[in-house]
Amino acid sequence: MAQSITRRVVFRFCPKSADKDAMKPGHKDFNDQEIRVLVADDDGVLAERTVDFLRNNGFNGRIARNGAEARSILLTWKPDYVIYDLLLPDLNALQFLKYLGPEALGEEKIKVIVLSGHTNQSNIRECMRLGALDYLVKPFKYIDLLSRLVLHKQKKRTLAEPAPSTTVSEEAAYFLHLTDLTLREALK
């Protein structure tokens, strides 16, 4: 049930189309700019499946199996998003966010989504304080990851340029408000 609700909400962000392909970066209703996503996770199967899913949906994805590899790819490849495992052994997400620092994080810079099986409120709070864009709990549905990437991409677009209609920006604002309330409730 929750998955179908998520899909309906995300599809509304695509102004001219309500089909599944409208969520893909290559679709005419989505900004055609290449979106690079680095998945840093020591679980090889999860990382491979995630990158395969992202590639099948029009993203350009790469895998890092440890923190050193993530830093190396970050410097040479310049991803738009980094999906980073909270407990990566050699450089956990908190250390990674500190390594990047506030000057590297933000709307026009690297956006980090922390991925973890732990729902400890202090971990979530600390990640968000250090500049993480989002926090996704394992196990997750790939559509949820895709929805978050599209949401954050659309959020950037509506802030950078006028929305095609006021309905889209109102719906986006409402969805962001619901996401914010959910995160705040989880942090209590």
Side-chain angles (χ1 to χ4, degrees):
M1 179 69 180
Q3 186 174 1
S4 63
I5 292 171
T6 303
R7 286 183 186 187
R8 280 199 320 254
V9 172
V10 171
F11 290 157
R12 289 182 180 163
F13 292 120
C14 303
K16 297 178 186 168
S17 178
D19 64 31
K20 181 180 177 184
D21 291 334
M23 292 175 64
K24 297 181 181 180
H27 191 273
K28 64 180 174 51
D29 292 340
F30 200 92
N31 188 343
D32 280 334
Q33 168 188 355
E34 177 185 65
I35 301 171
R36 296 176 174 203
V37 181
L38 172 62
V39 177
D41 199 319
D42 57 335
D43 180 347
V45 174
L46 176 68
E48 289 285 340
R49 287 182 180 169
T50 302
V51 167
D52 286 345
F53 175 80
L54 291 172
R55 286 179 181 154
N56 289 336
N57 283 282
F59 291 83
N60 187 351
R62 287 205 184 161
I63 297 172
R65 304 221 190 266
N66 57 52
E69 193 176 343
R71 285 188 299 202
S72 174
I73 293 172
L74 192 70
L75 294 172
T76 58
W77 191 54
K78 309 275 190 234
D80 299 298
Y81 294 91
V82 177
I83 300 168
Y84 201 93
D85 184 20
L86 177 68
L87 298 178
L88 206 56
D90 65 328
L91 186 71
N92 68 39
L94 300 174
Q95 294 166 330
F96 181 72
L97 290 165
K98 288 176 187 173
Y99 163 77
L100 291 176
E103 61 278 349
L105 299 167
E107 284 301 317
E108 296 300 321
K109 300 176 183 173
I110 300 166
K111 292 157 282 299
V112 177
I113 297 174
V114 176
L115 184 64
S116 178
H118 299 275
T119 57
N120 183 313
Q121 293 175 3
S122 63
N123 287 340
I124 297 170
R125 209 176 283 127
E126 187 65 10
C127 287
M128 301 307 272
R129 186 187 71 75
L130 290 172
L133 178 68
D134 210 335
Y135 193 98
L136 188 61
V137 178
K138 294 179 190 177
F140 63 93
K141 293 180 181 168
Y142 290 111
I143 191 69
D144 292 338
L145 173 61
L146 183 62
S147 298
R148 289 174 190 226
L149 289 170
V150 170
L151 171 70
H152 293 301
K153 180 66 177 168
Q154 290 292 88
K155 180 176 130 182
K156 177 183 171 189
R157 189 179 128 227
T158 57
L159 292 174
E161 59 189 61
S165 72
T166 56
T167 307
V168 172
S169 61
E170 287 172 9
E171 289 176 11
Y174 176 71
F175 188 73
L176 287 172
H177 176 70
L178 289 177
T179 303
D180 183 56
L181 287 175
T182 304
L183 278 173
R184 288 177 192 271
E185 195 62 32
L187 294 175
K188 287 183 181 178

